[in-house]
Amino acid sequence: MTHKVRVGVLFGGQSGEHEVSLVSARAIMDGLDPEKYDIIPIGITKQGRWIIAADAHARLLVQADPSKLPGGSVGATIAASTGTGDQEMDPGTLIGAGEHSPLKMLDVIFPVLHGPMGEDGTVQGLLELIGVPYVGCGVLASAVGMDKAMTKVAFSGAGLPVLPWLLVRRREWEHEPQRVLDWIESRLHYPMFVKPANLGSSVGVSKVTDRATLEQGIAEAASYDRRIIVEQGIPAREIEVSVLGNDEPEASVPGEVIPSGEWYDYAAKYLSGSSQILIPAPITLELAAQVRTLAVQAFKAIDGAGLARVDFLLNRETGDLYLNEINTMPGFTPVSMYAMMWDASGLPYTHLLDRLIDLALERHAKGRA
Ligand SMILES: Nc1ncnc2c1ncn2[C@@H]1O[C@H](COP(=O)(O)OP(=O)(O)O)[C@@H](O)[C@H]1O
Ligand SMILES: [Mg+2]
């Protein structure tokens, strides 16, 4: 019999979504079939150090924070083949080691990283340089999907519907705030949504209803990013759909999120716990079909691979449907939207993981060819 597939599960990372990543990674490690896979946990600390240890998973369960993992303990599966114990290194060393890079021992890597410095193409670029197959989107799709402005450019370019929006650069805002405010008010009407271009989890996002709150919203978003999106606000229902595949991606049944508050802000996502999820979304069959078609087109528009969750805003008054964003590494527990929508489509969690690993290997093999 051939050996089990050695899967490196990469988790933690330097973004604000470090803790969310731990939860996703733990679920994935529990969900991967032990008959088929050897799992090698690889933690990335908030400082960006990589820790490779066989018992990182166990220690993760108790400590829930890989930055606290002590170095130099038990032999890892991977360390058994390299003859060393826990290995802690910076990303540059991982590349510099070339053929001796410990990551080369792996058959595939599952980068379970959310947000900047993980979901944005940076880690994907490192894995490309090392030449190891990995789950999910490549450098371009990850980078485009992370950036709300570039996502909209890609969607519009593919003829997909997006809400009217404007890009404000922090420098312009700092130099000529009145002119920027006038310009925005001449193009969009209240309410508007103001967002940093490059974050997730609703951090730095505000709904603004007049000039004073617009000003506050931009200042808030500018504290997170050099580039700020101002978008037309609508009375929105939030429809999401999961996409899976490489060259012939498929879409799941759509779901709907009903936020506990007026919109899906950080509190509704992570604190109140009373947001509701409806799968399938209570929409007409025609609309569900349209959502699925648009989701696949959106995935192709950014050159997606492996997986992505595509989020829509549906105007509850006019019925108009808009693409909102694409998440190339959405939250990934069995009770996350992404997995639940596949489960409702007939693909249970464990099989979903198998599929993602197959897709990673397939994509790598094609890339080689
Ligand atoms: N144009 C809009 N109209 C109405 N609601 C919006 C709009 N843009 C964002 N929202 C609300 O804000 C939430 C967060 O915005 P989103 O663009 O999804 O950012 P994030 O990447 O932080 O999830 C959405 O889930 C939705 O509730
Ligand atoms: Mg969102």
Side-chain angles (χ1 to χ4, degrees), residues 144-153 155-156 160-165 193 195 197 202 205 229 231-232 234 236-241 263-264 269 294-295 298 302 309-314 321-327:
V144 172
M146 191 75 241
D147 187 282
K148 291 191 195 317
M150 293 314 291
T151 302
K152 286 182 195 296
V153 169
F155 287 172
S156 309
L160 304 174
V162 297
L163 282 161
W165 65 286
F193 276 79
K195 315 173 182 181
S202 299
V205 177
I229 300 293
E231 196 178 297
Q232 183 58 58
I234 56 167
R237 284 175 69 184
E238 309 203 30
I239 308 295
E240 307 190 348
V241 62
W263 57 282
Y264 207 23
K269 281 180 185 172
L294 286 173
I302 67 161
R309 196 192 71 220
V310 181
D311 297 352
F312 294 82
L313 296 170
L314 173 65
L321 182 66
Y322 302 93
L323 267 312
N324 180 31
E325 55 171 344
I326 183 161
N327 289 283

Side-chain angles (χ1 to χ4, degrees), residues 240-242 251-255 279-281 292 340-342 344-345:
E240 307 190 348
V241 62
S242 302
S252 69
V253 297
I279 302 171
R292 293 169 80 149
M340 286 202 300
M341 290 190 284
W342 276 123
S345 312

Side-chain angles (χ1 to χ4, degrees), residues 194-196 199-206 217 220-224 263:
V194 184
K195 315 173 182 181
L199 280 180
S201 298
S202 299
V203 173
V205 177
S206 27
E220 163 82 2
S223 71
Y224 292 101
W263 57 282

